[in-house]
Amino acid sequence: MNSLNDNQYIEDPGPFEARYLAFLETISTLRPSLHRYCARMTGSVMDGEDVVQEALFEAYRKLDKFDQSRPLKPWLFRIAHNRCIDFLRRRGVRDEADAAVAVPEAIEPAKPVLGTGKAVEHLVLTLPPKERACVLLKDVFDYSLEEIAELVDSTVGGVKAALNRARTKLAESSPQANSARNASPELKRIMQLYVDRFNRRDWDGVRELTSADARLNVAERFVGKFADAPYFFNYERWSWPWKLALGEVDGESVVIVLRRGADTWTPHSAIRFDVVGQRIERIVDYIHCPWVISAATTLTIAKA
């Protein structure tokens, strides 16, 4: 069974209101970097998107308290960072014992290892949350030490210390492939039935696979009961040809939404499931978030 965390900030609002969608439009240029950061912090492009969704909804609720004279990006990053830490705590990652590794503030941080950018991004999962955040913010996003200190609620000296520890560990480590998240045979069977029936537009058959209280989260559009959503209607009105297929994104079994191009089918987005017994209990559909697929490290599609 896939483990999908409850969203503590989006509590069954149904269709998202127009003002919220307008807010998302105003920060659209920041979305790629927010998602990239959260995906590397959580270790999953889909978990990362879930965290971004939480962070943006929280930011929207707090807009009336935001100081308009300050830049928006650091404020959003701090909210997203805090939601990442909450996610990691919920997943059982223990807090880093900062007091046990105190380092004088005058220390000169070690130089970045393995270059920057992509090479670092895929190694940071071996690090504790604070070290992971500091390396990503400094070596990938090029934030200053002062900006990082504010974002992670630390001091410049604390950030330097975390960077030293992280870079030392990364220099001594070797790249590790993401471990596959094995899906149960029952989950794969249900997913295959879902794909087959969805592709035939057999909506009654799809409903038979879901529990009476199944939950649906269509990222950036709807959160609530599956039975209350115009889900099938929305799929039928897409202006481009589509079909579903089984696949894996960064080792996790998912359903892939394929989009027809000029002469081939290309991956567009992903759908995750939470299955209990023989019924789907929760669906998370990222069709409005195609950047999730493009941010994935590995993607495979099962042959029909």
Side-chain angles (χ1 to χ4, degrees):
M1 182 179 72
N2 287 357
S3 177
L4 302 175
N5 293 299
D6 289 335
N7 190 319
Q8 60 179 319
Y9 292 99
I10 304 178
E11 298 175 351
D12 291 353
F16 291 172
E17 62 183 39
R19 287 182 60 200
Y20 180 60
L21 296 178
F23 165 70
L24 295 180
E25 183 65 26
T26 64
I27 54 91
S28 60
T29 58
L30 299 178
R31 284 302 301 270
S33 57
L34 280 171
H35 177 255
R36 185 179 175 191
Y37 177 72
C38 292
R40 300 315 173 210
M41 282 292 291
T42 62
S44 161
V45 291
M46 289 175 290
D47 287 337
E49 181 57 31
D50 292 346
V51 170
V52 171
Q53 296 284 327
E54 291 184 16
L56 292 180
F57 202 76
E58 180 185 359
Y60 173 69
R61 287 183 169 183
K62 293 180 176 179
L63 272 179
D64 59 337
K65 301 176 182 177
F66 175 64
D67 182 356
Q68 299 290 337
S69 65
R70 303 187 64 187
L72 184 62
K73 184 176 180 180
W75 182 65
L76 291 176
F77 255 84
R78 179 159 190 175
I79 293 174
H81 170 77
N82 289 337
R83 298 288 71 76
C84 286
I85 297 302
D86 289 343
F87 173 89
L88 294 173
R89 286 173 178 164
R90 292 198 301 265
R91 201 168 64 181
V93 177
R94 292 182 297 177
D95 295 336
E96 187 180 1
D98 292 326
V101 288
V103 178
E105 296 213 0
I107 191 168
E108 189 67 25
K111 293 183 179 181
V113 296
L114 302 173
T116 58
K118 294 291 185 181
V120 171
E121 288 182 54
H122 301 298
L123 289 177
V124 295
L125 287 178
T126 61
L127 301 173
K130 182 177 178 181
E131 295 175 12
R132 188 184 311 181
C134 289
V135 166
L136 285 171
L137 291 169
K138 181 62 178 172
D139 296 345
V140 177
F141 293 93
D142 198 29
Y143 274 71
S144 69
L145 296 176
E146 291 76 15
E147 289 171 325
I148 297 171
E150 182 176 359
L151 284 169
V152 304
D153 196 21
S154 183
T155 63
V156 170
V159 170
K160 288 181 179 179
L163 284 170
N164 255 313
R165 295 192 301 272
R167 289 167 175 171
T168 299
K169 291 174 184 176
L170 290 176
E172 295 172 349
S173 67
S174 58
Q176 296 179 351
N178 288 341
S179 58
R181 306 176 190 183
N182 294 326
S184 68
E186 183 63 18
L187 174 59
K188 289 187 175 181
R189 185 184 73 83
I190 295 296
M191 289 168 63
Q192 184 63 66
L193 287 172
Y194 186 94
V195 166
D196 294 342
R197 295 177 185 183
F198 218 96
N199 285 341
R200 294 197 305 266
R201 280 49 166 179
D202 177 8
W203 307 134
D204 288 337
V206 174
R207 290 188 185 95
E208 290 176 359
L209 298 174
T210 63
S211 71
D213 297 321
R215 316 303 293 174
L216 173 67
N217 182 348
V218 180
E220 295 200 343
R221 291 299 185 274
F222 178 91
V223 175
K225 292 186 67 174
F226 179 81
D228 295 338
Y231 191 50
F232 305 132
F233 169 76
N234 286 338
Y235 260 89
E236 286 187 322
R237 70 177 187 175
W238 280 106
S239 59
W240 38 266
W242 58 266
K243 67 178 181 179
L244 305 186
L246 288 183
E248 290 187 357
V249 172
D250 288 348
E252 178 179 346
S253 294
V254 295
V255 166
I256 304 292
V257 179
L258 299 172
R259 179 173 181 168
R260 180 70 181 182
D263 55 5
T264 188
W265 291 94
T266 58
H268 175 78
S269 60
I271 307 173
R272 298 172 106 178
F273 296 88
D274 203 349
V275 172
V276 177
Q278 298 183 6
R279 290 289 182 271
I280 297 171
E281 292 289 333
R282 192 174 183 211
I283 300 170
V284 182
D285 190 327
Y286 301 94
I287 194 163
H288 295 284
C289 308
W291 51 82
V292 170
I293 286 291
S294 61
T297 305
T298 61
L299 186 149
T300 59
I301 300 172
K303 294 182 178 180

